Amino acid sequence: DWCGFCQRFVPTYDKISKNPKIKKNFAVAYVNCEDENNRKDVEEFGVQGFPTVYVIDAQGKKTQLENSTFFNNDSKDVVAKKALELIGQE
């Protein structure tokens, strides 16, 4: 709630999570990194800044997306395209 970067990312997150190709190929989720119950996930993914976005393929390979792409006018398209490329779907 307090993180300005996360608040700025919300519209992009909403658009990405509603993208038909993303919905078909991904489960989109978010984790509250301040919640102690999520400490294991925060450590596993090495979260040091917010927002942190990963694409995880069916084999469990984790790819972190560049934060610099999250705040441009075309960010929803760039992030969706990159995620689909990582799993071989375009």
Side-chain angles (χ1 to χ4, degrees):
D1 293 338
W2 59 268
C3 176
F5 292 110
C6 294
Q7 291 171 354
R8 285 181 48 206
F9 184 63
V10 167
T12 299
Y13 176 86
D14 287 343
K15 290 174 185 172
I16 292 167
S17 65
K18 292 174 184 168
N19 178 311
K21 286 183 181 180
I22 295 295
K23 286 174 70 170
K24 178 182 175 188
N25 291 288
F26 294 95
V28 179
Y30 69 91
V31 174
N32 179 348
C33 294
E34 289 186 306
D35 185 333
E36 285 300 318
N37 294 320
N38 298 326
R39 181 62 41 206
K40 179 181 171 194
D41 295 323
V42 171
E43 291 173 3
E44 177 183 343
F45 285 87
V47 176
Q48 295 180 349
F50 306 115
T52 298
V53 177
Y54 278 89
V55 174
I56 306 170
D57 69 16
Q59 290 74 38
K61 179 183 174 195
K62 302 171 194 155
T63 303
Q64 183 176 359
L65 301 183
E66 292 294 324
N67 286 21
S68 62
T69 63
F70 300 154
F71 304 109
N72 301 321
N73 290 336
D74 65 346
S75 59
K76 72 170 182 64
D77 299 324
V78 171
V79 172
K81 182 177 187 231
K82 180 66 175 172
L84 291 167
E85 285 174 0
L86 289 168
I87 64 163
Q89 302 282 322
E90 290 193 52

Coordinates of all heavy atoms in Angstrom, one line a residue:
D1 N 0.8 -1.2 0.0 CA 0.0 0.0 0.0 C 0.9 1.3 0.0 O 0.5 2.3 -0.5 CB -0.9 0.0 1.2 CG -2.0 -1.1 1.1 OD1 -2.2 -1.6 0.0 OD2 -2.5 -1.5 2.2
W2 N 2.0 1.2 0.6 CA 2.8 2.4 0.8 C 3.8 2.6 -0.3 O 4.3 3.7 -0.5 CB 3.6 2.4 2.1 CG 4.5 1.2 2.1 CD1 4.2 -0.1 2.7 CD2 5.8 1.0 1.6 NE1 5.3 -0.9 2.5 CE2 6.3 -0.3 1.9 CE3 6.7 1.9 1.0 CZ2 7.5 -0.7 1.5 CZ3 8.0 1.4 0.6 CH2 8.3 0.1 0.8
C3 N 4.1 1.6 -1.1 CA 5.2 1.7 -2.1 C 4.7 2.4 -3.4 O 3.8 2.0 -4.1 CB 5.6 0.3 -2.5 SG 6.8 0.2 -3.8
G4 N 5.3 3.6 -3.6 CA 4.9 4.4 -4.8 C 5.1 3.7 -6.1 O 4.3 3.8 -7.0
F5 N 6.2 2.9 -6.2 CA 6.5 2.2 -7.4 C 5.4 1.2 -7.7 O 5.0 1.0 -8.8 CB 7.9 1.6 -7.4 CG 9.0 2.6 -7.5 CD1 9.8 2.8 -6.4 CD2 9.2 3.4 -8.6 CE1 10.8 3.8 -6.4 CE2 10.2 4.3 -8.7 CZ 11.0 4.5 -7.6
C6 N 5.1 0.5 -6.6 CA 4.0 -0.6 -6.8 C 2.7 0.1 -7.2 O 2.0 -0.5 -8.0 CB 3.9 -1.4 -5.5 SG 5.4 -2.4 -5.1
Q7 N 2.4 1.2 -6.6 CA 1.1 1.9 -6.9 C 1.1 2.3 -8.4 O 0.1 2.2 -9.0 CB 1.0 3.1 -6.0 CG 0.7 2.8 -4.6 CD 0.7 3.9 -3.6 OE1 1.1 5.1 -4.0 NE2 0.4 3.7 -2.4
R8 N 2.3 2.8 -8.9 CA 2.4 3.1 -10.3 C 2.3 1.9 -11.2 O 1.9 2.0 -12.3 CB 3.7 3.8 -10.5 CG 3.7 5.3 -10.0 CD 5.0 6.0 -10.3 NE 5.5 5.9 -11.6 CZ 6.8 6.0 -12.0 NH1 7.7 6.2 -11.1 NH2 7.2 5.8 -13.2
F9 N 2.7 0.7 -10.7 CA 2.7 -0.5 -11.5 C 1.3 -1.1 -11.6 O 1.0 -1.9 -12.5 CB 3.7 -1.5 -10.9 CG 3.8 -2.8 -11.7 CD1 4.2 -2.7 -13.0 CD2 3.4 -4.0 -11.2 CE1 4.3 -3.9 -13.8 CE2 3.5 -5.2 -11.9 CZ 4.0 -5.1 -13.2
V10 N 0.4 -0.8 -10.6 CA -1.0 -1.4 -10.6 C -1.7 -1.3 -11.9 O -2.2 -2.4 -12.4 CB -1.8 -0.8 -9.4 CG1 -3.3 -1.2 -9.5 CG2 -1.3 -1.3 -8.1
P11 N -1.8 -0.2 -12.6 CA -2.5 -0.2 -13.9 C -1.9 -1.1 -14.9 O -2.6 -1.8 -15.6 CB -2.4 1.3 -14.4 CG -2.2 2.0 -13.1 CD -1.3 1.2 -12.2
T12 N -0.6 -1.2 -14.9 CA 0.1 -2.2 -15.9 C -0.2 -3.6 -15.5 O -0.5 -4.4 -16.3 CB 1.6 -1.9 -15.8 OG1 1.9 -0.6 -16.3 CG2 2.4 -2.9 -16.7
Y13 N -0.1 -3.9 -14.2 CA -0.4 -5.2 -13.7 C -1.9 -5.6 -14.0 O -2.1 -6.7 -14.5 CB -0.2 -5.3 -12.2 CG -0.6 -6.6 -11.5 CD1 0.3 -7.6 -11.4 CD2 -1.9 -6.8 -11.0 CE1 0.0 -8.8 -10.9 CE2 -2.2 -8.0 -10.5 CZ -1.3 -9.0 -10.4 OH -1.7 -10.2 -9.8
D14 N -2.8 -4.7 -13.9 CA -4.2 -5.0 -14.2 C -4.3 -5.3 -15.7 O -5.1 -6.3 -16.0 CB -5.1 -3.8 -13.8 CG -5.3 -3.7 -12.3 OD1 -5.0 -4.7 -11.6 OD2 -5.7 -2.6 -11.9
K15 N -3.7 -4.5 -16.5 CA -3.8 -4.8 -18.0 C -3.2 -6.1 -18.4 O -3.7 -6.8 -19.2 CB -3.2 -3.6 -18.7 CG -4.0 -2.4 -18.6 CD -3.3 -1.2 -19.3 CE -4.1 0.1 -19.0 NZ -3.3 1.3 -19.5
I16 N -2.0 -6.4 -17.8 CA -1.3 -7.6 -18.1 C -2.1 -8.8 -17.7 O -2.3 -9.8 -18.4 CB 0.1 -7.7 -17.4 CG1 1.0 -6.6 -18.1 CG2 0.7 -9.1 -17.5 CD1 2.3 -6.4 -17.3
S17 N -2.7 -8.8 -16.5 CA -3.4 -9.9 -15.9 C -4.7 -10.1 -16.7 O -5.3 -11.2 -16.6 CB -3.7 -9.7 -14.4 OG -4.6 -8.6 -14.2
K18 N -5.2 -9.2 -17.5 CA -6.4 -9.3 -18.3 C -6.2 -9.6 -19.7 O -7.1 -9.9 -20.5 CB -7.3 -8.0 -18.1 CG -7.8 -7.9 -16.7 CD -8.5 -6.5 -16.6 CE -9.0 -6.4 -15.1 NZ -9.4 -5.0 -14.8
N19 N -4.9 -9.6 -20.1 CA -4.5 -9.9 -21.5 C -4.9 -11.4 -21.8 O -4.5 -12.3 -21.1 CB -3.0 -9.7 -21.6 CG -2.5 -10.1 -23.0 OD1 -2.8 -11.1 -23.5 ND2 -1.7 -9.2 -23.6
P20 N -5.7 -11.7 -22.8 CA -6.1 -13.0 -23.1 C -5.0 -14.0 -23.3 O -5.1 -15.2 -22.8 CB -6.9 -12.9 -24.4 CG -7.4 -11.5 -24.5 CD -6.3 -10.7 -23.8
K21 N -3.9 -13.6 -24.0 CA -2.8 -14.6 -24.2 C -2.1 -14.9 -22.9 O -1.7 -16.0 -22.6 CB -1.8 -14.0 -25.2 CG -2.2 -14.0 -26.6 CD -1.2 -13.5 -27.5 CE -1.6 -13.5 -28.9 NZ -0.6 -12.9 -29.9
I22 N -2.0 -13.9 -22.0 CA -1.4 -14.1 -20.7 C -2.3 -15.0 -19.8 O -1.8 -15.9 -19.2 CB -1.1 -12.7 -20.0 CG1 -0.1 -11.9 -20.8 CG2 -0.7 -12.9 -18.5 CD1 1.3 -12.5 -20.8
K23 N -3.5 -14.7 -19.8 CA -4.5 -15.5 -19.0 C -4.5 -17.0 -19.5 O -4.6 -17.9 -18.7 CB -5.9 -14.9 -19.1 CG -6.1 -13.7 -18.4 CD -7.4 -13.1 -18.6 CE -8.5 -13.9 -18.0 NZ -9.8 -13.2 -18.0
K24 N -4.3 -17.2 -20.8 CA -4.3 -18.6 -21.3 C -3.0 -19.3 -20.9 O -3.0 -20.5 -20.7 CB -4.3 -18.5 -22.8 CG -4.3 -19.9 -23.5 CD -4.3 -19.7 -25.0 CE -4.1 -21.1 -25.6 NZ -4.0 -21.0 -27.1
N25 N -1.9 -18.6 -20.8 CA -0.6 -19.3 -20.6 C 0.0 -19.1 -19.2 O 1.0 -19.8 -18.9 CB 0.4 -18.7 -21.6 CG 0.1 -19.2 -23.0 OD1 0.2 -20.3 -23.3 ND2 -0.4 -18.2 -23.8
F26 N -0.5 -18.2 -18.3 CA 0.1 -17.9 -17.1 C -1.0 -17.8 -15.9 O -2.1 -17.5 -16.2 CB 0.8 -16.6 -17.1 CG 2.0 -16.5 -18.0 CD1 1.8 -16.0 -19.3 CD2 3.2 -16.9 -17.6 CE1 2.9 -16.0 -20.1 CE2 4.3 -16.9 -18.4 CZ 4.2 -16.4 -19.7
A27 N -0.5 -18.1 -14.8 CA -1.2 -17.8 -13.6 C -0.5 -16.5 -13.1 O 0.7 -16.5 -12.8 CB -1.1 -18.9 -12.5
V28 N -1.3 -15.4 -13.0 CA -0.7 -14.1 -12.6 C -1.0 -13.9 -11.1 O -2.1 -14.1 -10.7 CB -1.3 -13.0 -13.4 CG1 -0.7 -11.6 -13.0 CG2 -1.1 -13.2 -14.9
A29 N 0.1 -13.7 -10.3 CA -0.1 -13.5 -8.9 C 0.8 -12.4 -8.4 O 1.8 -12.0 -9.0 CB 0.3 -14.8 -8.2
Y30 N 0.5 -11.9 -7.2 CA 1.4 -11.0 -6.5 C 1.6 -11.4 -5.1 O 0.8 -12.2 -4.5 CB 0.8 -9.5 -6.6 CG -0.4 -9.3 -5.8 CD1 -0.4 -8.9 -4.5 CD2 -1.7 -9.5 -6.3 CE1 -1.5 -8.7 -3.7 CE2 -2.8 -9.3 -5.6 CZ -2.7 -8.9 -4.3 OH -3.9 -8.7 -3.5
V31 N 2.7 -11.0 -4.5 CA 3.0 -11.4 -3.2 C 3.3 -10.1 -2.4 O 4.1 -9.2 -2.8 CB 4.3 -12.3 -3.1 CG1 4.7 -12.5 -1.7 CG2 4.0 -13.6 -3.9
N32 N 2.7 -9.9 -1.2 CA 3.0 -8.8 -0.3 C 4.3 -9.2 0.4 O 4.3 -10.0 1.3 CB 1.8 -8.6 0.6 CG 2.1 -7.5 1.6 OD1 3.2 -7.0 1.7 ND2 1.1 -7.1 2.3
C33 N 5.3 -8.5 0.0 CA 6.7 -8.8 0.6 C 6.8 -8.4 2.0 O 7.8 -8.7 2.7 CB 7.8 -8.2 -0.3 SG 7.8 -9.0 -1.9
E34 N 5.9 -7.5 2.5 CA 6.0 -7.1 3.9 C 5.4 -8.1 4.9 O 5.7 -8.1 6.0 CB 5.3 -5.8 4.1 CG 6.0 -4.6 3.5 CD 5.3 -3.3 3.8 OE1 4.0 -3.2 3.6 OE2 5.9 -2.5 4.4
D35 N 4.6 -9.0 4.3 CA 3.9 -10.0 5.2 C 4.9 -11.1 5.5 O 5.5 -11.7 4.7 CB 2.7 -10.6 4.4 CG 1.9 -11.6 5.2 OD1 2.4 -12.2 6.1 OD2 0.7 -11.7 4.8
E36 N 5.1 -11.3 6.8 CA 6.1 -12.3 7.3 C 5.8 -13.7 6.8 O 6.7 -14.5 6.7 CB 6.2 -12.3 8.8 CG 6.9 -11.1 9.4 CD 8.4 -11.0 8.9 OE1 9.0 -12.1 8.9 OE2 8.8 -9.9 8.6
N37 N 4.5 -14.0 6.5 CA 4.1 -15.3 6.0 C 4.7 -15.6 4.6 O 4.8 -16.7 4.1 CB 2.6 -15.4 5.9 CG 2.0 -15.5 7.3 OD1 2.5 -16.1 8.2 ND2 0.9 -14.8 7.4
N38 N 5.2 -14.5 3.9 CA 5.7 -14.6 2.6 C 7.3 -14.5 2.6 O 7.9 -14.4 1.5 CB 5.2 -13.5 1.7 CG 3.7 -13.7 1.5 OD1 3.1 -14.8 1.5 ND2 3.0 -12.6 1.4
R39 N 7.9 -14.5 3.7 CA 9.3 -14.3 3.8 C 10.1 -15.4 3.0 O 11.1 -15.1 2.4 CB 9.7 -14.4 5.3 CG 11.2 -14.2 5.6 CD 11.8 -12.9 5.2 NE 11.0 -11.8 5.6 CZ 11.0 -10.6 4.9 NH1 11.8 -10.4 3.9 NH2 10.2 -9.6 5.2
K40 N 9.6 -16.6 3.0 CA 10.3 -17.7 2.2 C 10.3 -17.3 0.7 O 11.4 -17.5 0.1 CB 9.6 -19.0 2.4 CG 10.2 -20.1 1.7 CD 9.4 -21.4 1.9 CE 9.9 -22.5 0.9 NZ 9.0 -23.6 0.9
D41 N 9.2 -16.8 0.2 CA 9.2 -16.5 -1.2 C 10.1 -15.3 -1.5 O 10.8 -15.2 -2.5 CB 7.7 -16.1 -1.6 CG 6.8 -17.3 -1.6 OD1 7.3 -18.4 -1.9 OD2 5.6 -17.2 -1.2
V42 N 10.1 -14.3 -0.6 CA 10.9 -13.1 -0.8 C 12.4 -13.5 -0.8 O 13.1 -13.0 -1.7 CB 10.6 -12.1 0.4 CG1 11.7 -11.0 0.3 CG2 9.2 -11.5 0.3
E43 N 12.8 -14.4 0.0 CA 14.2 -14.8 0.1 C 14.5 -15.7 -1.2 O 15.6 -15.5 -1.8 CB 14.4 -15.6 1.3 CG 14.4 -14.7 2.6 CD 14.5 -15.4 3.9 OE1 14.7 -16.7 3.9 OE2 14.5 -14.8 4.9
E44 N 13.6 -16.6 -1.5 CA 13.8 -17.5 -2.7 C 14.0 -16.7 -4.0 O 14.9 -17.0 -4.8 CB 12.7 -18.5 -2.9 CG 12.8 -19.3 -4.1 CD 11.6 -20.3 -4.3 OE1 10.8 -20.5 -3.4 OE2 11.5 -20.8 -5.4
F45 N 13.2 -15.6 -4.1 CA 13.3 -14.8 -5.3 C 14.3 -13.7 -5.2 O 14.5 -12.9 -6.2 CB 11.9 -14.4 -5.7 CG 11.1 -15.5 -6.3 CD1 10.3 -16.3 -5.5 CD2 11.1 -15.7 -7.7 CE1 9.6 -17.3 -6.1 CE2 10.3 -16.7 -8.2 CZ 9.6 -17.5 -7.4
G46 N 14.9 -13.5 -4.1 CA 15.8 -12.4 -3.9 C 15.3 -11.0 -4.1 O 15.9 -10.2 -4.7
V47 N 14.0 -10.8 -3.7 CA 13.4 -9.5 -3.8 C 14.1 -8.5 -3.0 O 14.2 -8.6 -1.8 CB 11.9 -9.6 -3.4 CG1 11.2 -8.2 -3.5 CG2 11.1 -10.6 -4.3
Q48 N 14.6 -7.4 -3.7 CA 15.2 -6.3 -3.1 C 14.6 -5.0 -3.4 O 14.9 -4.0 -2.8 CB 16.7 -6.3 -3.4 CG 17.4 -7.6 -3.0 CD 18.9 -7.5 -3.3 OE1 19.4 -6.7 -4.1 NE2 19.6 -8.5 -2.8
G49 N 13.8 -5.0 -4.4 CA 13.1 -3.7 -4.8 C 11.7 -4.0 -5.3 O 11.4 -5.2 -5.5
F50 N 10.9 -3.0 -5.4 CA 9.5 -3.2 -5.8 C 9.2 -2.3 -7.0 O 9.7 -1.2 -7.0 CB 8.6 -2.8 -4.6 CG 9.0 -3.5 -3.3 CD1 9.4 -2.8 -2.2 CD2 8.8 -4.9 -3.2 CE1 9.8 -3.5 -1.1 CE2 9.2 -5.6 -2.1 CZ 9.6 -4.9 -1.0
P51 N 8.4 -2.8 -7.9 CA 7.9 -4.1 -8.0 C 9.0 -5.0 -8.6 O 9.9 -4.6 -9.3 CB 6.7 -4.0 -8.9 CG 7.1 -2.9 -9.8 CD 7.8 -1.9 -8.9
T52 N 9.0 -6.3 -8.3 CA 9.8 -7.3 -8.8 C 8.9 -8.3 -9.6 O 8.0 -8.8 -9.0 CB 10.6 -8.1 -7.7 OG1 11.4 -7.1 -7.1 CG2 11.5 -9.1 -8.3
V53 N 9.2 -8.5 -10.8 CA 8.3 -9.4 -11.6 C 9.2 -10.5 -12.2 O 10.2 -10.3 -12.8 CB 7.6 -8.6 -12.8 CG1 6.8 -9.5 -13.7 CG2 6.8 -7.5 -12.2
Y54 N 8.7 -11.7 -12.0 CA 9.3 -12.9 -12.6 C 8.3 -13.6 -13.5 O 7.1 -13.6 -13.3 CB 9.7 -13.9 -11.5 CG 11.0 -13.6 -10.8 CD1 11.0 -12.8 -9.7 CD2 12.1 -14.2 -11.3 CE1 12.2 -12.5 -9.1 CE2 13.3 -13.9 -10.6 CZ 13.4 -13.1 -9.5 OH 14.5 -12.8 -8.9
V55 N 8.9 -14.3 -14.5 CA 8.1 -15.2 -15.4 C 8.7 -16.6 -15.0 O 9.9 -16.8 -15.0 CB 8.3 -14.9 -16.9 CG1 7.6 -16.0 -17.7 CG2 7.7 -13.6 -17.2
I56 N 7.9 -17.5 -14.7 CA 8.3 -18.9 -14.4 C 7.7 -19.8 -15.4 O 6.5 -19.9 -15.5 CB 7.9 -19.3 -12.9 CG1 8.4 -18.2 -12.0 CG2 8.4 -20.7 -12.6 CD1 7.8 -18.3 -10.6
D57 N 8.5 -20.6 -16.1 CA 8.0 -21.5 -17.1 C 7.6 -22.8 -16.5 O 7.7 -23.0 -15.3 CB 9.0 -21.7 -18.3 CG 10.2 -22.4 -17.9 OD1 10.3 -23.1 -16.8 OD2 11.2 -22.4 -18.7
A58 N 7.0 -23.7 -17.3 CA 6.5 -24.9 -16.8 C 7.6 -25.8 -16.2 O 7.2 -26.7 -15.3 CB 5.8 -25.7 -18.0
Q59 N 8.8 -25.6 -16.5 CA 9.9 -26.4 -15.9 C 10.4 -25.8 -14.6 O 11.3 -26.3 -14.0 CB 11.1 -26.6 -16.9 CG 10.7 -27.5 -18.1 CD 9.8 -26.8 -19.1 OE1 9.9 -25.6 -19.4 NE2 8.9 -27.6 -19.6
G60 N 9.9 -24.6 -14.3 CA 10.3 -23.9 -13.1 C 11.4 -22.9 -13.2 O 11.9 -22.4 -12.3
K61 N 11.8 -22.7 -14.5 CA 12.9 -21.7 -14.7 C 12.3 -20.3 -14.5 O 11.3 -19.9 -15.0 CB 13.4 -21.8 -16.2 CG 14.4 -20.8 -16.5 CD 14.9 -20.8 -18.0 CE 15.8 -19.7 -18.2 NZ 16.0 -19.4 -19.7
K62 N 13.1 -19.5 -13.6 CA 12.6 -18.2 -13.2 C 13.4 -17.2 -14.0 O 14.7 -17.2 -14.1 CB 12.9 -18.0 -11.8 CG 12.2 -19.0 -10.9 CD 12.7 -18.8 -9.4 CE 12.3 -20.0 -8.6 NZ 13.1 -20.2 -7.5
T63 N 12.7 -16.2 -14.6 CA 13.3 -15.1 -15.4 C 12.8 -13.8 -14.8 O 11.6 -13.6 -14.9 CB 13.1 -15.2 -16.9 OG1 13.6 -16.5 -17.3 CG2 13.8 -14.1 -17.6
Q64 N 13.7 -13.0 -14.3 CA 13.2 -11.7 -13.8 C 13.1 -10.7 -14.9 O 14.0 -10.6 -15.7 CB 14.1 -11.2 -12.7 CG 13.7 -9.9 -12.1 CD 14.5 -9.4 -10.9 OE1 15.5 -10.0 -10.6 NE2 14.2 -8.3 -10.4
L65 N 12.0 -10.0 -15.0 CA 11.9 -8.9 -16.0 C 12.5 -7.6 -15.5 O 12.5 -7.4 -14.3 CB 10.4 -8.8 -16.4 CG 9.6 -10.0 -16.9 CD1 8.2 -9.6 -17.2 CD2 10.4 -10.6 -18.1
E66 N 13.0 -6.9 -16.4 CA 13.6 -5.6 -16.1 C 12.6 -4.6 -15.6 O 11.6 -4.3 -16.3 CB 14.3 -5.0 -17.3 CG 15.5 -5.8 -17.8 CD 16.7 -5.8 -16.7 OE1 16.9 -4.8 -16.1 OE2 17.3 -6.8 -16.6
N67 N 12.8 -4.0 -14.5 CA 11.9 -3.0 -13.9 C 11.8 -1.8 -14.8 O 10.8 -1.1 -14.7 CB 12.4 -2.6 -12.5 CG 12.2 -3.6 -11.5 OD1 12.0 -4.8 -11.8 ND2 12.1 -3.2 -10.2
S68 N 12.8 -1.5 -15.6 CA 12.8 -0.3 -16.4 C 11.6 -0.3 -17.4 O 11.2 0.7 -17.9 CB 14.1 -0.1 -17.1 OG 14.3 -1.2 -18.0
T69 N 11.1 -1.5 -17.7 CA 10.0 -1.6 -18.7 C 8.6 -1.4 -18.1 O 7.6 -1.3 -18.8 CB 10.0 -3.0 -19.4 OG1 9.8 -4.0 -18.4 CG2 11.3 -3.2 -20.1
F70 N 8.5 -1.2 -16.8 CA 7.2 -1.2 -16.1 C 6.5 0.1 -16.1 O 5.3 0.2 -15.8 CB 7.3 -1.7 -14.6 CG 7.9 -3.1 -14.4 CD1 8.5 -3.4 -13.3 CD2 7.8 -4.0 -15.4 CE1 9.0 -4.6 -13.1 CE2 8.3 -5.3 -15.2 CZ 8.9 -5.6 -14.1
F71 N 7.1 1.2 -16.5 CA 6.5 2.5 -16.3 C 6.5 3.3 -17.6 O 6.3 4.5 -17.5 CB 7.3 3.3 -15.2 CG 7.3 2.5 -13.9 CD1 8.5 1.9 -13.4 CD2 6.2 2.3 -13.2 CE1 8.5 1.2 -12.2 CE2 6.2 1.6 -12.0 CZ 7.4 1.1 -11.5
N72 N 6.6 2.7 -18.7 CA 6.4 3.3 -20.0 C 5.0 3.2 -20.5 O 4.2 2.4 -20.0 CB 7.4 2.7 -21.0 CG 8.8 2.8 -20.6 OD1 9.3 3.8 -20.0 ND2 9.6 1.7 -20.8
N73 N 4.6 4.0 -21.5 CA 3.3 4.0 -22.0 C 2.9 2.6 -22.6 O 1.8 2.2 -22.6 CB 3.1 5.1 -23.1 CG 3.1 6.4 -22.5 OD1 2.8 6.6 -21.3 ND2 3.4 7.4 -23.3
D74 N 3.9 1.9 -23.1 CA 3.7 0.6 -23.7 C 4.1 -0.5 -22.8 O 4.2 -1.7 -23.3 CB 4.4 0.5 -25.1 CG 6.0 0.5 -24.9 OD1 6.4 0.9 -23.8 OD2 6.7 0.2 -25.9
S75 N 4.2 -0.3 -21.5 CA 4.7 -1.3 -20.6 C 3.9 -2.6 -20.6 O 4.5 -3.7 -20.5 CB 4.9 -0.7 -19.2 OG 3.6 -0.3 -18.7
K76 N 2.6 -2.5 -20.7 CA 1.8 -3.7 -20.6 C 2.1 -4.6 -21.8 O 2.2 -5.8 -21.7 CB 0.3 -3.4 -20.6 CG -0.3 -2.9 -21.8 CD -1.8 -2.8 -21.7 CE -2.4 -2.3 -23.0 NZ -2.2 -3.1 -24.1
D77 N 2.3 -4.0 -23.0 CA 2.7 -4.7 -24.2 C 4.1 -5.3 -24.1 O 4.3 -6.5 -24.5 CB 2.5 -3.8 -25.4 CG 1.1 -3.3 -25.6 OD1 0.1 -4.1 -25.3 OD2 1.0 -2.2 -26.1
V78 N 5.0 -4.5 -23.6 CA 6.4 -5.0 -23.5 C 6.5 -6.1 -22.6 O 7.1 -7.2 -22.9 CB 7.3 -3.8 -23.1 CG1 8.7 -4.3 -22.8 CG2 7.4 -2.8 -24.2
V79 N 5.9 -6.0 -21.4 CA 6.0 -7.1 -20.4 C 5.2 -8.3 -20.9 O 5.8 -9.4 -20.8 CB 5.4 -6.6 -19.0 CG1 5.3 -7.7 -18.1 CG2 6.2 -5.5 -18.5
A80 N 4.1 -8.2 -21.5 CA 3.3 -9.3 -22.0 C 4.1 -10.0 -23.1 O 4.2 -11.3 -23.1 CB 2.0 -8.9 -22.5
K81 N 4.7 -9.3 -24.0 CA 5.5 -9.8 -25.1 C 6.7 -10.6 -24.6 O 7.0 -11.7 -25.0 CB 6.0 -8.7 -26.1 CG 6.7 -9.3 -27.2 CD 7.1 -8.1 -28.2 CE 7.7 -8.7 -29.4 NZ 9.0 -8.2 -29.8
K82 N 7.4 -10.0 -23.6 CA 8.6 -10.7 -23.1 C 8.2 -12.0 -22.3 O 8.8 -13.0 -22.5 CB 9.3 -9.7 -22.1 CG 10.5 -10.3 -21.4 CD 11.6 -10.6 -22.5 CE 12.9 -11.1 -21.8 NZ 13.9 -11.5 -22.7
A83 N 7.1 -11.9 -21.6 CA 6.7 -13.1 -20.9 C 6.3 -14.2 -21.9 O 6.7 -15.4 -21.7 CB 5.4 -12.8 -20.0
L84 N 5.6 -13.9 -23.0 CA 5.2 -14.9 -24.0 C 6.4 -15.4 -24.7 O 6.5 -16.6 -25.0 CB 4.2 -14.3 -24.9 CG 2.8 -14.0 -24.3 CD1 1.9 -13.2 -25.2 CD2 2.1 -15.4 -23.9
E85 N 7.4 -14.5 -25.0 CA 8.6 -15.0 -25.7 C 9.3 -16.0 -24.8 O 9.9 -17.0 -25.3 CB 9.6 -13.8 -25.9 CG 9.2 -12.9 -27.0 CD 10.0 -11.7 -27.1 OE1 11.0 -11.5 -26.3 OE2 9.8 -10.8 -28.0
L86 N 9.4 -15.8 -23.5 CA 10.1 -16.7 -22.6 C 9.5 -18.1 -22.6 O 10.2 -19.1 -22.3 CB 10.1 -16.1 -21.2 CG 11.0 -14.9 -21.0 CD1 10.8 -14.3 -19.7 CD2 12.5 -15.3 -21.2
I87 N 8.3 -18.3 -22.9 CA 7.7 -19.6 -23.0 C 7.4 -20.1 -24.4 O 6.8 -21.1 -24.6 CB 6.3 -19.7 -22.2 CG1 5.3 -18.8 -22.8 CG2 6.6 -19.4 -20.7 CD1 3.9 -19.1 -22.3
G88 N 7.9 -19.3 -25.4 CA 7.8 -19.7 -26.8 C 6.5 -19.5 -27.4 O 6.1 -20.1 -28.4
Q89 N 5.7 -18.6 -26.8 CA 4.4 -18.2 -27.4 C 4.5 -16.7 -27.8 O 4.9 -15.9 -27.0 CB 3.3 -18.3 -26.3 CG 3.2 -19.7 -25.7 CD 2.4 -20.6 -26.7 OE1 1.5 -20.2 -27.3 NE2 2.9 -21.9 -26.7
E90 N 4.1 -16.4 -29.0 CA 4.1 -15.0 -29.4 C 2.7 -14.6 -29.9 O 1.9 -15.3 -30.3 CB 5.2 -14.7 -30.4 CG 6.5 -14.8 -29.7 CD 7.6 -14.3 -30.6 OE1 7.5 -13.1 -31.1 OE2 8.6 -15.0 -30.8

